[in-house]
Amino acid sequence: MNDCLFCKIIKGEIPSTKIYENEFVYAFADIAPQAPFHAVIVPKEHIKSADEITTDNSHYIAKIFEAVAEISKQENLENGYRVVNNCGEDGGQTVGHIHFHLLARRNLAWPPG
Ligand code: 5GP
Ligand code: ZN
């Protein structure tokens, strides 16, 4: 847990550009944005991936989507957006702290590659 990049970002030990924060979640600008608007939203509890969601921690996922709606209003994303969770190696997850990408301000292809 001490080695977790996103735990360090949450604690402010690694700088980030804050987009939104509350008691449960932190959202910051992705360092390598894949769209003109690209936020990474993380729970303030260390959960490794979607594979580790349980009845004990699933409330954090609800809080993530409450934050999505708040960020949408805050950033005027009324034209739409995509929320993405990458899980595990084949899913393209590169940081072992569950996170949701919020991508907006361009037409996003479907299906994704
Ligand atoms: P994943 O590939 O695991 O789904 O997403 C990890 C995301 O974290 C990537 O989009 C990557 O650009 C972003 N990221 C990795 N390291 C940092 C960092 O130090 N700061 C910020 N702001 N984003 C990071
Ligand atoms: Zn962590």
Side-chain angles (χ1 to χ4, degrees):
M1 179 157 174
N2 291 336
D3 281 345
C4 174
L5 175 67
F6 287 171
C7 281
K8 288 179 181 167
I9 284 179
I10 291 163
K11 284 187 261 178
E13 293 172 5
I14 291 173
S16 64
T17 301
K18 179 163 91 172
I19 291 174
Y20 177 84
E21 182 173 21
N22 66 29
E23 184 185 346
F24 302 97
V25 308
Y26 182 63
F28 55 96
D30 197 293
I31 204 167
Q34 301 301 309
F37 180 87
H38 186 170
V40 177
I41 312 173
V42 297
K44 287 188 174 177
E45 177 171 301
H46 182 86
I47 301 166
K48 190 174 160 200
S49 76
D51 240 16
E52 298 206 346
I53 296 168
T54 66
T55 50
D56 286 338
N57 63 24
S58 61
H59 59 285
Y60 277 100
I61 307 308
K63 293 295 177 188
I64 294 278
F65 278 85
E66 288 177 25
V68 167
E70 289 298 319
I71 295 167
S72 173
K73 291 182 197 85
Q74 175 186 300
E75 303 292 332
N76 301 310
L77 304 181
E78 63 278 341
N79 215 39
Y81 50 83
R82 182 169 296 162
V83 179
V84 175
N85 169 250
N86 297 326
C87 180
E89 194 178 342
D90 281 358
Q93 183 177 4
T94 61
V95 180
H97 180 131
I98 193 170
H99 52 279
F100 293 77
H101 301 262
L102 175 54
L103 303 150
R105 297 207 196 290
R106 73 170 166 86
N107 197 278
L108 297 153
W110 189 263

